[in-house]
Amino acid sequence: MAKKPSLSIVLAAFNEAHQLKEAYKNAISAIKKSGIEDYEILIASVAAPDGSHDGTPDIANQIAKEDPRVYSLHTNGYVGMGVKYRESVNMASKDYIIMIPGANHILESTLINVFQHIGQATLILTYTKNPNARPFHVRIVSKFFVILCNLLFGLNMKYFNGITIYPRELLLKVPMTADSPAYNAEILIYLFKSNVDYIELPQEVDPNIIAKPGKTFMLKNFLPSLKTLVSLFWKIHFQRKRIAIK
């Protein structure tokens, strides 16, 4: 039997004290049920601009003390999701990387399905199976973002912000610059335009948790995300930047 690949899981947590432990337990359960033995979990947390937090880094530190495969990466101050993602990628040591929301709204069954597909394609992507579980404004902003990305880059993707599994060595080749929530779209568009193969799988969100407004879709993130897409449009279409794929 072929050896299962190793996996780094990044748990993104901005004031997720009420759900972080459950998100950790959910990830561990999915790992075990998927048969993955070599893994690590990086809890990537940030404070508010004034340095305050709801106890999330304390919980992360406690989990890390109890589980030697867990590492707490906290920033004393607020930085964008893209910044924490790049930090986590540089800290990760396993073959593949996935970021999972610390809000714990991704169902365990989705994680298991995604984990079991590792290695079947270079990228394992997801799209939301039950979008109606999300608030109306989140659905509208999300749909607009997908349409905009597809139009700007000549793509036909279902989603750009789902949980995604990347080979770490390939991810390190991508010139990641986005600090905004568009960081994942930036990575994917570079790789799509470089002809990387992928699989799209459904992800199901918990309607009881996702019912609260999503931080990713706050208005203040719109302009930085738009700036990322404009910059990427120039690089892809005019500078013809691509990733060298072996």
Side-chain angles (χ1 to χ4, degrees):
M1 181 179 294
K3 181 182 177 181
K4 290 279 188 178
S6 60
L7 179 64
S8 296
I9 296 179
V10 180
L11 274 179
F14 173 52
N15 286 344
E16 301 292 0
H18 60 300
Q19 288 292 344
L20 184 56
K21 281 187 179 179
E22 291 305 312
Y24 160 74
K25 292 177 182 177
N26 206 29
I28 291 294
S29 179
I31 287 170
K32 292 181 177 179
K33 292 178 181 178
S34 302
I36 296 174
E37 297 180 356
D38 188 2
Y39 67 90
E40 64 185 2
I41 296 178
L42 312 175
I43 303 178
S45 61
V46 299
D50 63 359
S52 65
H53 58 78
D54 67 347
T56 293
D58 301 324
I59 294 172
N61 290 339
Q62 185 60 40
I63 294 173
K65 286 181 181 179
E66 297 172 356
D67 187 339
R69 298 196 193 195
V70 176
Y71 304 89
S72 176
L73 308 178
H74 180 67
T75 299
N76 290 315
Y78 183 79
V79 295
M81 294 175 66
V83 177
K84 290 301 294 185
Y85 188 74
R86 292 194 294 274
E87 177 188 349
S88 300
V89 169
N90 289 330
M91 290 288 294
S93 63
K94 306 305 180 183
D95 298 330
Y96 290 87
I97 297 177
I98 184 172
M99 179 180 271
I100 299 173
N104 194 39
H105 63 260
I106 305 296
L107 295 183
E108 181 187 318
S109 57
T110 290
L111 297 181
I112 294 171
N113 186 38
V114 170
F115 293 168
Q116 289 177 339
H117 280 81
I118 294 177
Q120 295 185 18
T122 303
L123 306 180
I124 310 298
L125 317 177
T126 60
Y127 61 92
T128 305
K129 177 182 178 181
N130 57 333
N132 289 339
R134 290 177 158 175
F136 179 74
H137 79 279
V138 171
R139 281 180 275 152
I140 293 298
V141 173
S142 177
K143 185 66 176 177
F144 174 77
F145 186 75
V146 170
I147 292 173
L148 183 60
C149 288
N150 282 333
L151 285 175
L152 288 176
F153 300 98
L155 301 170
N156 188 30
M157 303 306 301
K158 296 178 180 178
Y159 200 46
F160 289 88
N161 290 316
I163 57 174
T164 308
I165 291 187
Y166 297 99
R168 181 174 180 271
E169 288 189 4
L170 177 60
L171 194 55
L172 289 172
K173 295 181 180 180
V174 180
M176 296 179 282
T177 62
D179 298 340
S180 70
Y183 76 91
N184 201 55
E186 179 186 47
I187 297 167
L188 288 176
I189 291 166
Y190 266 123
L191 295 178
F192 291 153
K193 303 306 287 187
S194 302
N195 298 316
V196 173
D197 62 299
Y198 60 88
I199 295 175
E200 286 185 283
L201 300 174
Q203 72 173 19
E204 191 169 1
V205 298
D206 187 336
N208 297 315
I209 295 176
I210 200 65
K212 65 179 183 178
K215 302 181 186 73
T216 301
F217 299 93
M218 292 190 298
L219 184 61
K220 70 178 183 179
N221 289 323
F222 176 76
L223 287 180
S225 295
L226 184 60
K227 182 179 179 181
T228 294
L229 294 184
V230 170
S231 175
L232 188 58
F233 184 86
W234 175 262
K235 293 173 184 176
I236 291 294
H237 293 298
F238 292 93
Q239 296 181 344
R240 305 295 298 174
K241 285 194 174 182
R242 299 294 187 270
I243 308 302
I245 309 297
K246 291 183 180 180

